[in-house]
Amino acid sequence: MKDVRLYSYWRSSCSWRVRIALGLQGIDYEYVAVHLVRDGGEQRTEAYERDHNPMRQVPVLEWTENGPQRLTQSLAILEMLSERGPKSLLPTDPMARAKARELAEVVNSGIQPQQNLATLQMVESLGGDKRAHGQEVIARGLASMERLATSAGTFLVGDTVSLADLCLVPQLYNAERFGLELNAFPTLVRAAAACAELPAFIAAHPDRQPDCPEQD
Amino acid sequence: MKDVRLYSYWRSSCSWRVRIALGLQGIDYEYVAVHLVRDGGEQRTEAYERDHNPMRQVPVLEWTENGPQRLTQSLAILEMLSERGPKSLLPTDPMARAKARELAEVVNSGIQPQQNLATLQMVESLGGDKRAHGQEVIARGLASMERLATSAGTFLVGDTVSLADLCLVPQLYNAERFGLELNAFPTLVRAAAACAELPAFIAAHPDRQPDCPEQD
């Protein structure tokens, strides 16, 4: 992979997952900031939709390899990076692999789409309470993960980082943004704490991204 | 895999994906109907949440193999069934594999969660137009798939059935339920028509499930 570019937003949880994976694989990349909020969202411009992602979302990974390549959808990107290596993001045992994907999908399709920017804007436009809605879906999803994480070790599945951890960490950050207490999820918190020690997770944190606003 | 049971609802698009995969792999299973609507939804009972799926969703796959096994999340189930074989549900070429997962995830995390039962009930409870909301998210998602399906052949990725097709077919059925015209998606319609010839797709159709209501 040459000339790797990641279209990302500092606080996008799906972009964050991919930043961690790129770090774990030791892949250098250019960070292309897409501001999801300013002026209605740069991801909704005609140029972005046409040239990068018709779904009008981040992340998008672009690179050169037998010509220009592009891939959207964070889980598809994670699976590809896992297959390319050098570091597999899935266990070798078949049931453990299935468990890692199950937990990743609880976040990817079960929680995040219910509390992403588009959904919260829709809830708000209908006069609903977007914070309460986000809290509810995140709390239920994390409670489910806590119960489904039956083979957790140091990390969410056994003692090796997997896709599940890459999805977990940004989701817990969102939980805290929504004001949720994490005490009810000791297994998840323990795995996230182990992740927080790893350089790839440290480097991928929103606060370290070039488009993170300066804080007082 | 022995004593395979699928917790399913005839019209659940995520259950449908798994029914197709089980058929492609030649796995016999017991169909356990979970009525998602009647009496507030059987998936929301305490017993179902405790014993089958804390996310209160279908599908759930249960089987016996070195003790009782259970797996939730349709994409995790599809990946596991693909790995077990005999039929891989992913191409062998790395970029084609990535494309199949990308297209599957456009449906799995990009469309379906925005138009599933829970989301539509939420939109309705806020006084919104659930049909218009469903139409909008499905139309945008399918338009994106049509543009992303750059390596379509007989099927959505090349000439072999993949995860992408298993997600596509139920989503197109939902599009028609929402009253969308499919003319704008010729690549998707062509792939779905090829799928409709295959016994596993025929057997998995909602109208053929034991919990499909009798029609006049």
Side-chain angles (χ1 to χ4, degrees):
Chain A
M1 300 177 101
K2 294 200 312 191
D3 309 323
V4 180
R5 288 185 304 285
L6 178 67
Y7 292 77
S8 172
Y9 179 60
W10 65 292
R11 223 156 55 171
S12 150
S13 62
C14 303
S15 302
W16 187 351
R17 299 170 193 162
V18 175
R19 295 194 302 256
I20 301 167
L22 289 166
L24 288 170
Q25 304 295 11
I27 297 172
D28 286 327
Y29 62 96
E30 178 190 352
Y31 187 103
V32 184
V34 180
H35 201 298
L36 297 191
V37 183
R38 194 170 52 207
D39 299 333
E42 290 176 2
Q43 78 283 12
R44 295 191 179 120
T45 62
E46 193 183 316
Y48 184 81
E49 182 177 345
R50 180 188 62 227
D51 297 337
H52 302 292
N53 189 353
M55 287 292 280
R56 311 196 297 189
Q57 294 169 332
V58 287
V60 178
L61 193 69
E62 296 182 355
W63 70 99
T64 303
E65 187 176 32
N66 307 319
Q69 305 289 349
R70 175 180 301 126
L71 192 61
T72 70
Q73 294 295 326
S74 65
L75 261 284
I77 298 171
L78 298 188
E79 292 270 4
M80 182 193 73
L81 293 172
S82 176
E83 289 183 354
R84 296 181 72 106
K87 182 170 174 45
S88 174
L89 304 176
L90 286 164
T92 47
D93 173 73
M95 272 309 294
R97 293 168 74 82
K99 179 57 74 178
R101 287 181 170 127
E102 176 188 51
L103 292 167
E105 286 292 356
V106 169
V107 175
N108 182 57
S109 66
I111 307 177
Q112 197 278 341
Q114 311 292 350
Q115 56 95 82
N116 68 12
L117 182 67
T119 298
L120 295 182
Q121 287 174 339
M122 184 267 285
V123 169
E124 192 166 41
S125 75
L126 293 174
D129 182 337
K130 65 180 183 179
R131 185 173 168 88
H133 175 73
Q135 287 177 335
E136 184 185 330
V137 297
I138 297 172
R140 166 162 305 282
L142 294 182
S144 297
M145 287 185 83
E146 181 72 24
R147 286 181 47 200
L148 292 169
T150 48
S151 52
T154 305
F155 297 101
L156 212 41
V157 181
D159 295 324
T160 311
V161 167
S162 75
L163 298 180
D165 302 293
L166 275 62
C167 292
L168 170 68
V169 168
Q171 189 60 64
L172 284 184
Y173 171 92
N174 276 356
E176 294 195 298
R177 282 182 64 207
F178 278 86
L180 289 180
E181 285 287 343
L182 303 183
N183 302 340
F185 319 118
T187 309
L188 309 185
V189 168
R190 191 183 68 213
C195 292
E197 305 280 322
L198 303 178
F201 282 82
I202 294 169
H205 193 281
D207 292 349
R208 299 215 173 199
Q209 305 317 304
D211 55 339
C212 175
E214 300 248 350
Q215 289 169 8
D216 294 329
Chain B
M1 300 177 101
K2 294 200 313 193
D3 309 323
V4 180
R5 290 186 304 285
L6 178 67
Y7 292 77
S8 171
Y9 179 60
W10 64 292
R11 222 158 53 171
S12 150
S13 63
C14 303
S15 302
W16 186 350
R17 299 170 194 162
V18 175
R19 295 195 301 257
I20 301 167
L22 289 166
L24 288 170
Q25 304 297 10
I27 297 171
D28 286 327
Y29 61 96
E30 179 190 350
Y31 187 101
V32 185
V34 180
H35 201 299
L36 298 190
V37 183
R38 195 170 54 206
D39 299 332
E42 289 176 3
Q43 79 282 14
R44 295 189 180 123
T45 62
E46 195 184 315
Y48 185 81
E49 181 177 345
R50 179 188 64 227
D51 298 336
H52 302 293
N53 189 352
M55 288 292 279
R56 311 196 297 190
Q57 295 169 331
V58 288
V60 177
L61 193 69
E62 296 183 355
W63 70 101
T64 302
E65 187 176 34
N66 306 318
Q69 306 289 348
R70 176 180 300 127
L71 192 61
T72 70
Q73 294 296 327
S74 64
L75 261 286
I77 298 170
L78 297 187
E79 291 270 3
M80 182 193 72
L81 292 172
S82 176
E83 289 183 356
R84 297 181 71 107
K87 182 169 174 47
S88 174
L89 304 177
L90 285 164
T92 48
D93 173 73
M95 272 309 296
R97 293 168 74 80
K99 179 57 73 180
R101 287 181 170 126
E102 177 188 48
L103 292 167
E105 285 293 355
V106 169
V107 175
N108 182 56
S109 65
I111 307 177
Q112 196 278 341
Q114 312 292 350
Q115 55 96 82
N116 67 12
L117 182 67
T119 298
L120 295 182
Q121 287 174 339
M122 184 267 285
V123 168
E124 193 166 42
S125 75
L126 294 173
D129 182 338
K130 66 180 183 178
R131 186 174 168 87
H133 175 72
Q135 286 177 334
E136 184 184 329
V137 298
I138 297 172
R140 166 161 305 281
L142 294 182
S144 297
M145 288 184 81
E146 181 71 24
R147 285 184 44 201
L148 292 169
T150 48
S151 53
T154 305
F155 297 100
L156 212 40
V157 181
D159 294 324
T160 311
V161 167
S162 75
L163 298 180
D165 301 293
L166 275 63
C167 292
L168 170 68
V169 167
Q171 189 60 63
L172 285 184
Y173 172 91
N174 276 355
E176 295 196 298
R177 281 183 65 206
F178 278 85
L180 288 180
E181 285 287 345
L182 303 184
N183 302 340
F185 319 118
T187 310
L188 309 186
V189 168
R190 191 184 69 212
C195 292
E197 305 281 322
L198 303 178
F201 282 81
I202 294 169
H205 193 281
D207 291 349
R208 299 215 172 200
Q209 305 316 305
D211 56 337
C212 176
E214 301 248 350
Q215 289 167 10
D216 293 330

